[in-house]
Amino acid sequence: MNKTIAYCLLPIACCLLSSCGSPERLFSKAQKLEGKGFFVEAGITYDKLAKKYPQAQLAPQALYRIGRIYQKKLKLFSYSNRYYETLLNRYSSAQPWAHLAGAGLLTSPNYFPLHAGNFWIEGDSESGGVNMRAQWVCDEISSNTYCMTRRIFAGSHLVKEIKQYYRIKGTQLRQFERSSDEAGVIMLSYPFETGRSWRTVSEGKWMEYKIEASGERISVKAGSFPNCLKIAERNLAYPRSVKYNYYAPEVGWVLTTTALVGGAEHRSTELLSCKVFPEEF
């Protein structure tokens, strides 16, 4: 069944299902349909439960499962985010589903995939990585906390190794210098709307991040990536200098450029290759 038919059927076909059944029976039925790979039918059943029994304990979980189906199986992110937002608006205190819905919003699509074993090879754009290369490797050190190890090479010589930590808090991705830190630097923040900006402190300096675009096609050594998110990063002490980072859906960072405000961008570093494991459903 193609995606167009799938997303048309999911919201409207609930009436085709039997009207009987307790929340528990409907949830069990939806789980069985998921297990057999009937994701559209499972979504219809979860949706029926959430609408017919909004006070049921299983209602928040049902909304989350619909969001996951749209996000991971149908790749229809506007629909998945609709269900995640409904969950947060109606059941903000229902844990862990509210927390998972926030993470779902931030990762639909996923511009910074965090999964143990993911790695990216970065290189300077001028020489294609001959002069400078960096290896990024992701490790999970605890629940919802990831360590990114960046090993920087000049030619074949290891120059520096840097460890940074990442954690999703609500609908934000935050970067930390130590795993025990609490505040962190806000690297990404949902919703990904052009023109939206936020300020955060990094190494004692106020930084401003602004979403410049969300549908860019970027070509780098690793390939051509559509629908990239473009984020401007400014040190407020030097507001005329701008660094732009581009992130590709389900891949992560792909390009960094620099510019003066209003001036042309100059490529600094870009993605040479990567291995990104799909998130478990």
Side-chain angles (χ1 to χ4, degrees):
M1 181 178 296
N2 63 46
K3 290 182 179 178
T4 302
I5 296 174
Y7 73 67
C8 289
L9 284 178
L10 187 50
I12 66 173
C14 296
C15 61
L16 300 178
L17 295 176
S18 171
S19 61
C20 63
S22 66
E24 291 76 17
R25 289 183 63 185
L26 286 171
F27 194 86
S28 177
K29 179 179 180 179
Q31 284 185 309
K32 290 176 181 177
L33 288 167
E34 268 196 84
K36 294 177 180 179
F38 299 125
F39 297 109
V40 172
E41 294 83 353
I44 292 170
T45 308
Y46 285 130
D47 190 67
K48 181 179 178 64
L49 188 163
K51 289 178 177 177
K52 188 174 182 180
Y53 303 103
Q55 303 304 318
Q57 187 174 1
L58 288 168
Q61 189 175 355
L63 288 170
Y64 174 71
R65 294 310 307 171
I66 303 169
R68 290 291 284 181
I69 288 171
Y70 271 126
Q71 179 185 0
K72 294 300 180 181
K73 295 301 179 180
L74 302 181
K75 303 294 184 183
L76 295 168
F77 302 119
S78 63
Y79 284 81
S80 64
N81 289 350
R82 181 184 303 173
Y83 281 98
Y84 291 144
E85 287 174 351
T86 298
L87 196 165
L88 285 172
N89 289 335
R90 294 181 183 173
Y91 309 102
S92 59
S93 61
Q95 300 299 345
W97 312 115
H99 167 76
L100 292 172
L105 288 171
L106 184 68
T107 58
S108 297
N110 196 344
Y111 293 108
F112 206 101
L114 294 169
H115 189 286
N118 285 358
F119 69 86
W120 301 260
I121 305 297
E122 170 192 7
D124 70 288
S125 295
E126 183 177 2
S127 72
V130 174
N131 295 334
M132 190 285 289
R133 293 170 68 90
Q135 300 174 352
W136 296 73
V137 179
C138 181
D139 290 300
E140 185 175 9
I141 61 171
S142 64
S143 178
N144 195 38
T145 300
Y146 295 83
C147 176
M148 198 76 75
T149 302
R150 186 184 184 210
R151 305 180 76 219
I152 304 171
F153 295 83
S156 59
H157 177 64
L158 177 62
V159 176
K160 184 185 294 187
E161 181 175 289
I162 302 170
K163 290 185 181 292
Q164 293 174 318
Y165 300 87
Y166 294 86
R167 190 179 305 132
I168 293 175
K169 298 189 72 173
T171 56
Q172 298 174 341
L173 174 69
R174 299 199 181 198
Q175 180 190 84
F176 306 85
E177 295 302 314
R178 294 173 296 275
S179 61
S180 59
D181 290 350
E182 289 298 326
V185 177
I186 303 170
M187 301 296 295
L188 294 175
S189 180
Y190 178 86
F192 302 122
E193 298 173 347
T194 300
R196 184 167 178 267
S197 64
W198 61 92
R199 294 184 177 185
T200 187
V201 177
S202 175
E203 298 179 349
K205 303 172 184 177
W206 275 101
M207 306 292 294
E208 182 182 73
Y209 293 79
K210 183 179 180 181
I211 299 174
E212 298 285 345
S214 59
E216 299 281 296
R217 176 176 284 277
I218 299 298
S219 295
V220 293
K221 292 289 184 181
S224 181
F225 302 95
N227 300 317
C228 290
L229 189 68
K230 178 182 181 181
I231 296 184
E233 177 184 334
R234 293 181 178 87
N235 183 333
L236 293 180
Y238 306 97
R240 286 187 52 78
S241 298
V242 189
K243 180 169 74 173
Y244 297 100
N245 287 310
Y246 294 81
Y247 301 89
E250 314 306 320
V251 174
W253 171 89
V254 293
L255 175 67
T256 295
T257 67
T258 58
L260 295 176
V261 173
E265 294 179 45
H266 302 279
R267 291 193 171 212
S268 177
T269 62
E270 62 188 69
L271 185 67
L272 303 181
S273 63
C274 66
K275 175 64 176 178
V276 178
F277 293 93
E279 185 183 358
E280 293 182 1
F281 180 66

